[in-house]
Amino acid sequence: QVQLVESGGGSVQAGGSLRLSCAASGLTFSSFTMGWFRQAPGKEQDIVAAISGRGGGTYYADSVKGRFTISRDNAKNTMYLQMNGLKPEDTAVYYCAAKGGWFPYTRRDKYDYWGQGTQVTVSS
């Protein structure tokens, strides 16, 4: 069965960096668009970034543009989210997700598989 496992979360001070990883198994990884979503307490789950199967297409939410970088290594079946310049408002549980095809990559209901999430906490 398909498994997505996130790692790399933790607690950092504002301005710090973290690198999240999402290890995938049970699917043809390069055929799937991958996305990072996050959910803060009391808020909806929102998309953070997405990357196409071969990595040629990327999307970033306005709130993270210029600070976060999404990437993937299809040889390792792993996706990454490099997060720099972290702010307290980035505090959330971060989830990775996989979907077939590219569009519509921002809609969480179009993603087929989800990880269990990893907590990111940014203190001021």
Side-chain angles (χ1 to χ4, degrees), residues 2-23:
V2 175
Q3 281 194 317
L4 302 177
V5 180
E6 302 96 335
S7 61
S11 297
V12 296
Q13 290 191 327
S17 298
L18 284 173
R19 188 195 196 201
L20 305 184
S21 298
C22 173

Side-chain angles (χ1 to χ4, degrees), residues 79-104:
M79 174 181 64
Y80 305 97
L81 186 68
Q82 179 65 46
M83 305 187 294
N84 298 329
L86 283 162
K87 304 175 181 179
E89 51 263 44
D90 294 318
T91 295
V93 178
Y94 284 70
Y95 299 89
C96 70
K99 68 180 293 294
W102 180 227
F103 295 104

